[in-house]
Amino acid sequence: MLIQNYGGVKNVAKETLALNELENALKSNPMIKAAEVYVAVDGTLNADIEQKTPVARVSTNASYYIDDDGLFMPLSRNYSARVPLVTGYVEKNNLKNVYQVARKIRSDDFLTKHVFEIHQNQDNYLFLKLRKCDFIVQLGEIEALDKKINNLKAFYKKALKDKTLQNYSKVNLQFDNQVICTKI
């Protein structure tokens, strides 16, 4: 930006630099969360930039990321993040439920390892798909998410031990203190 606006960056008087303009230009980039531009005591121009971090990738009629603040983030031409895919009925102005699940997945080692897709239906009911499993995990509504995830972990551990993970088509976690499984 400096080279484009000033022709070069060497020996430019700091009084002629429009730091706010540079900062605002950086902040206007949809991949940047925060930016601060300043001139150090020795005259060096510095820019501290915090990049947005994707937590999920929405793949519906429009493709984009959900960032770590739960907001829209465009796809990058240079990088593809390894985050869960979000499908179904998802609107850019209503990402709250999907964001909460994506954030939970990101903070939990078991979920990060196993969950590759979050699906939201028309009624805002949530479903998960796990790697190496043919069944769908039905979370239902977002309430009591931690309890539902703990039930999923307990079921998965027991079914893995018993070698019965391939016997199910659906694992329903909607109900309190129980896991309801539908066999194939």
Side-chain angles (χ1 to χ4, degrees), residues 63-74:
S63 290
Y64 54 92
Y65 289 117
I66 300 172
D67 72 7
D68 54 351
D69 290 327
L71 304 171
F72 164 84
M73 176 181 166

Side-chain angles (χ1 to χ4, degrees), residues 88-172:
Y89 294 90
V90 182
E91 299 169 346
K92 283 184 188 176
N93 59 354
N94 188 14
L95 299 171
K96 187 178 131 195
N97 290 348
V98 172
Y99 167 66
Q100 285 182 342
V101 173
R103 199 175 71 196
K104 180 67 178 171
I105 291 168
R106 184 182 179 92
S107 67
D108 186 282
D109 289 337
F110 172 83
L111 296 177
T112 301
K113 182 178 177 183
H114 293 288
V115 175
F116 72 91
E117 184 177 334
I118 304 166
H119 180 83
Q120 182 172 269
N121 70 10
Q122 290 172 311
D123 300 322
N124 289 332
Y125 278 37
L126 296 160
F127 301 83
L128 302 177
K129 287 187 181 176
L130 306 180
R131 288 181 178 85
K132 300 180 183 175
C133 295
D134 295 329
F135 57 82
I136 294 173
V137 178
Q138 186 172 355
L139 287 176
E141 295 178 351
I142 200 75
E143 284 77 34
L145 182 61
D146 289 338
K147 196 173 208 177
K148 291 175 183 180
I149 297 303
N150 286 338
N151 288 345
L152 173 63
K153 288 178 185 178
F155 161 78
Y156 189 92
K157 186 176 179 182
K158 173 83 167 96
L160 187 64
K161 180 181 171 193
D162 296 343
K163 297 183 180 166
T164 58
L165 282 174
Q166 292 74 25
N167 298 347
Y168 304 106
S169 62
K170 183 162 69 169
V171 175
N172 190 336

